[in-house]
Amino acid sequence: MILRSPMNILLTGANGYVGLRLLSALLEGGHTVHAVVRDRERLPIAELTAHGERLAVIEADLAEPAAEVRFPAEVDVAYFLVHAMGAGADFSALEAAVARNFLRLLAPTRARQIIYLGGITPDEGGLSEHLASRRNVERLLAEGAVPLTALRASIIVGSGSASFEIIRDLVEKL
C-alpha cells in the first residue's frame, strides 16, 4: 500500500505522552490531524495553533462515546494510543470496550490502516493483567475490517511519562 503525503490522520490518545509528541511531529510533517481527546482543555492548543486548519479536535470518551461523535470520512491512517490502566481494577474490560467503540466509529470511514501501540508480549507463557489486556486489544483491532499494524513497545520512559513518574517516585522514596 502506498500512502500519499500529506495524509489525513486520526490520532486517538492525542494528549497522552506518546500522542502529544506524535501530534506535533505529524503536524510539522504537513499532515492533517484529527486529534481525539476526552477533554479538549487538556490539549495544549496554544502550542499547536501555528498549524491552523490542519488540526481538528474531536472531543470524545471512547469508553462511552456520545451518539453524535463521528470520525471524519477521509482517514488514511488511524492511530490507537488509548490505554485505561489507571481506570481501576476492571481496566481490561474497559480497554476492550474502548477498542470495540473505536472500531465501530472507524467503520463508516475510508480508513486504510490502524496503527496500534501495544506492549511486548511473548508468544507463549503467562502475561501480567496489563500485558494480557494489551494483547487482547491488539486481537480485537486485528479482527476489524481495517488492516492493523501493531507496534509492541516495552516501557516508555521519558520526562513526564507515567513510567518515568513511577520510577522517579520510587527513587525518591528509596
Side-chain angles (χ1 to χ4, degrees):
M1 173 171 71
I2 298 173
L3 295 177
R4 61 184 164 81
S5 189
M7 294 184 286
N8 288 315
I9 297 173
L10 182 76
L11 177 61
T12 65
N15 54 359
Y17 182 76
V18 173
L20 273 174
R21 284 148 183 81
L22 182 57
L23 174 59
S24 293
L26 292 170
L27 289 170
E28 289 184 20
H31 303 289
T32 297
V33 180
H34 301 271
V36 182
V37 297
R38 274 189 312 233
D39 180 3
R40 75 175 51 244
E41 297 298 318
R42 291 185 49 221
L43 193 65
I45 297 290
E47 297 172 24
L48 302 167
T49 54
H51 303 288
E53 295 180 10
R54 288 188 296 107
L55 172 63
V57 178
I58 300 170
E59 194 170 36
D61 182 348
L62 294 179
E64 296 181 30
E68 68 271 5
V69 172
R70 300 278 184 277
F71 288 166
E74 296 299 324
V75 174
D76 295 307
V77 176
Y79 284 86
F80 188 81
L81 304 179
V82 180
H83 302 291
M85 208 169 125
D90 204 14
F91 71 89
S92 295
L94 179 59
E95 285 191 336
V98 167
R100 286 185 193 101
N101 288 334
F102 169 78
L103 289 174
R104 184 178 52 76
L105 290 165
L106 196 63
T109 74
R110 288 186 275 289
R112 298 188 296 166
Q113 190 71 40
I114 295 172
I115 299 176
Y116 167 62
L117 179 60
I120 293 179
T121 55
D123 291 333
E124 297 178 17
L127 296 174
S128 68
E129 186 179 359
H130 169 69
L131 290 178
S133 181
R134 301 281 78 229
R135 180 59 77 97
N136 185 49
V137 168
E138 180 181 325
R139 181 188 57 76
L140 290 169
L141 294 174
E143 290 173 356
V146 180
L148 173 70
T149 299
L151 305 173
R152 294 182 180 169
S154 70
I155 187 170
I156 296 174
V157 179
S159 181
S161 72
S163 301
F164 178 87
E165 298 304 324
I166 290 168
I167 292 169
R168 187 181 67 182
D169 287 347
L170 281 171
V171 168
E172 288 175 357
K173 287 180 171 85
L174 297 175

